[in-house]
Amino acid sequence: MKVPVEFGEWRPDVALLDSKFASEVENVYPGVNSYKPFPGLLPFGPVLPATPTAACGLFAARTSSGSWKIYAGTTTKLYVLVSFAWTDISSAAYSVTPGHQWRFAQFGTKLIAVTNAENPQVVDVDAGGNFAALGGSPPKATNIHVMGDFLVLSELVTTGIYNNRVIQWSAINDITGWTVGTNLSDIQEFPDGGAVVGTAGSEIGYVVQDKTIRTAQFLPGDTTYIFNFSRVLQDRGCISRYGFTNIGNILYFVSEDGFYAITGQQVVPIGADKVNDWWLANSEVSKRDRVLAFSFVDKPRIAWAFHSSGSSQSYYDRLLIYDWSNQRWSHVTEQAQVWAVLASTDLDLDTTGSEPNDADLDSAALSLDSFAYVGGRPLIGAIDESGFLSSLAGPNLPATMETVERHLGSGTRAFVSEVYPLEDGASSALGTIAAGTRERLQDAVVWNPAVGIEITGSAAAFSSARLHRFRRSIPQAATWTHAQGVVVEAQQDGTVA
Amino acid sequence: MFTIYDDQGNSIAAIPLSEKQIKLLDVSSEITVLWHTPRMLQSTLGTESGHFTLYKDGNRIIAPDSAALRKYASLQSAIMAAREQS
């Protein structure tokens, strides 16, 4: 009897016995009916000075000519990547508070960087040069966001009229205008809902507090209120100042009890009965205020980088991936000090650099008018744990997928003779399958030794038990595209005593 | 703070101008400044808004409508006073 057992959707929070869900998926992307390989980080740039312990900001800004520049921040410096070397463009020696980051926003040709212990810094992306204090004496802030024609600062450092429940926005189309009451610049303090950890969105803006979410609607032509703020969610907000992101008008964030999405006034608990409990059990509670969200620009996915439970490291060591097109999740074990959405740099015509596919002018690998010579391909970048500028372009990470626990026989024990993985892949790296068995739900699961895939395409994972589950392991750097599940060859093997 | 004059050459008030406004004054004939009572002070200062224009004549910044500028300068003073009390 052949029994297909799909991996199914990863929903570790629900009862899994005989269900169609997966109990574990690691280092894969969630597909609509399969799991896909997740590439590891591959360095493509130099090590950031003063790392591996000090990287705390990464951003790609676009020049007026359409090329991209990569900026990075450490606890004491701000850098720009020039000719694949980090160049110090700090205005002074900075002091970033432990656990805080540099946050960036581009407004026209200006790149603004904020962190709570320093005055907002600005540099011209086109002209270059060093960062300098942003004009207009804006307050020190933890987060920054461009909302329509305004630059919005949030989680302001307490001084004078400012505190962490206040936001201030610039004059309209003028990031050097911070005189309250002038050219639509103003402040708003929110009396409840806790600290404003950030703002997001554009046409529908969001004020993200640690215990409340509000929408911020610009009122064109209104010189009295400028923005209208409306509460959408009460008693829940984002627990991390970096733990939210928006895609279009949808805000995604991590709350005290898990993951949510908000579209205007509609709140969707995207992690409930899926991964919330798993995340709470597997994340380090003392570092949940540092959870970092970012959206993939090349795929419909969002990632939350976090520290695993018990982690004492300064760098993130886990990612929780959410595919918003199919509402499925997965998790990844990968280390990085900071993650960001970057863009590929331009390839030049006459040298062969370290960039992938950077062919010489004499080579026929790329035509002279190839689109590859224009940078800007979106990519997910990071400063890896060793301090190297990296992107998700490395060899596939070792993947693990586990089926749910199944009664393969109806009321009887089942003898499994072979397990056939439903996936493609290179024959040079086939990986293994292990069977986990037990006789009663009250017993502990016993994992049999992992068995390699044979020339037949199956693994001789002999086992006999009433309850079975199967763990598929695909080694690092193996080439494959989809993993759907396994087909088990099973037969009745007597009743349970 | 920048001293603003009326078109008779009399000093009206000193007001803050942003770097962008200064650049615009240097290269264009006239800029318009919008003003309003800040949201959180409307309960104490009332709800007012308006605008005035500025242009540069030599080294001097001129406000043709001196009354509108005085109103803005008065509001800014009130904002400063309210800030100090908070």
Side-chain angles (χ1 to χ4, degrees), chain A residues 455-466:
Chain A
I455 195 167
T456 59
S458 297
F462 294 111
S463 63
S464 178
R466 182 155 67 165

Side-chain angles (χ1 to χ4, degrees), chain A residues 82-298:
Chain A
V82 178
S83 300
F84 282 82
W86 291 112
T87 303
D88 181 359
I89 53 169
S90 310
S91 64
Y94 307 119
S95 179
V96 177
T97 306
H100 282 247
Q101 296 187 2
W102 285 102
R103 302 295 280 178
F104 299 90
Q106 186 171 1
F107 197 104
T109 64
K110 304 295 185 185
L111 176 67
I112 306 98
V114 300
T115 190
N116 73 323
E118 300 292 341
N119 290 317
Q121 302 286 301
V122 65
V123 71
D124 192 293
V125 176
D126 285 357
N130 282 13
F131 275 96
L134 179 62
S137 302
K140 291 178 180 175
T142 301
N143 238 323
I144 187 169
H145 181 67
V146 176
M147 194 179 292
D149 294 326
F150 301 91
L151 188 64
V152 185
L153 299 177
S154 53
E155 198 175 343
L156 306 183
V157 176
T158 299
T159 172
I161 61 169
Y162 299 120
N163 61 63
N164 63 9
R165 288 178 291 103
V166 174
I167 65 170
Q168 180 166 3
W169 56 92
S170 69
I172 187 165
N173 273 320
D174 182 0
I175 60 169
T176 60
W178 294 93
T179 303
V180 172
T182 305
N183 279 343
L184 308 187
S185 176
D186 209 336
I187 63 173
Q188 177 63 48
E189 181 172 3
F190 300 97
D192 64 346
V196 179
V197 297
T199 55
S202 186
E203 283 68 32
I204 296 178
Y206 294 96
V207 176
V208 184
Q209 297 178 250
D210 63 6
K211 293 293 181 192
T212 278
I213 306 290
R214 301 174 204 261
T215 56
Q217 183 77 48
F218 177 54
L219 303 170
D222 185 319
T223 56
T224 304
Y225 295 108
I226 325 301
F227 282 97
N228 178 49
F229 299 102
S230 302
R231 191 196 308 271
V232 182
L233 188 60
Q234 189 164 14
D235 298 331
R236 283 185 177 84
C238 186
I239 54 173
S240 168
R241 57 180 64 92
Y242 315 120
F244 59 94
T245 186
N246 70 283
I247 296 174
N249 288 328
I250 305 177
L251 175 74
Y252 296 89
F253 63 97
V254 57
S255 186
E256 196 71 58
D257 61 344
F259 300 87
Y260 288 84
I262 289 182
T263 310
Q265 300 292 318
Q266 185 180 1
V267 181
V268 181
I270 58 174
D273 289 333
K274 291 192 174 185
V275 299
N276 284 353
D277 293 341
W278 180 92
W279 183 73
L280 291 170
N282 287 278
S283 59
E284 174 54 39
V285 64
S286 65
K287 293 179 178 174
R288 286 185 192 151
D289 61 340
R290 305 178 191 185
V291 173
L292 173 66
F294 57 94
S295 58
F296 288 63
V297 285
D298 54 345

Side-chain angles (χ1 to χ4, degrees), chain B residues 54-69:
Chain B
L54 298 173
Y55 66 89
K56 203 164 183 181
D57 183 13
N59 288 328
R60 287 190 170 182
I61 301 172
I62 311 295
D65 185 349
S66 57
L69 181 72

Side-chain angles (χ1 to χ4, degrees), chain A residues 173-174 182 188 225 227, chain B residues 18 20 34 36 39 42 72:
Chain A
N173 273 320
D174 182 0
T182 305
Q188 177 63 48
Y225 295 108
F227 282 97
Chain B
S18 74
K20 183 176 181 181
L34 303 171
H36 69 279
R39 297 166 58 103
Q42 289 175 3
Y72 169 73

Side-chain angles (χ1 to χ4, degrees), chain A residues 402-468:
Chain A
E402 220 173 279
T403 70
V404 294
E405 195 167 45
R406 291 278 297 268
H407 290 91
L408 295 176
S410 178
T412 67
R413 304 173 80 245
F415 173 72
V416 171
S417 55
E418 66 175 27
V419 182
Y420 178 76
L422 295 173
E423 89 220 1
D424 53 5
S427 59
S428 59
L430 295 172
T432 60
I433 292 178
T437 62
R438 55 181 169 170
E439 300 298 336
R440 303 176 303 173
L441 290 168
Q442 292 74 27
D443 297 336
V445 175
V446 176
W447 284 99
N448 297 339
V451 179
I453 310 294
E454 299 173 356
I455 195 167
T456 59
S458 297
F462 294 111
S463 63
S464 178
R466 182 155 67 165
L467 291 153
H468 277 86

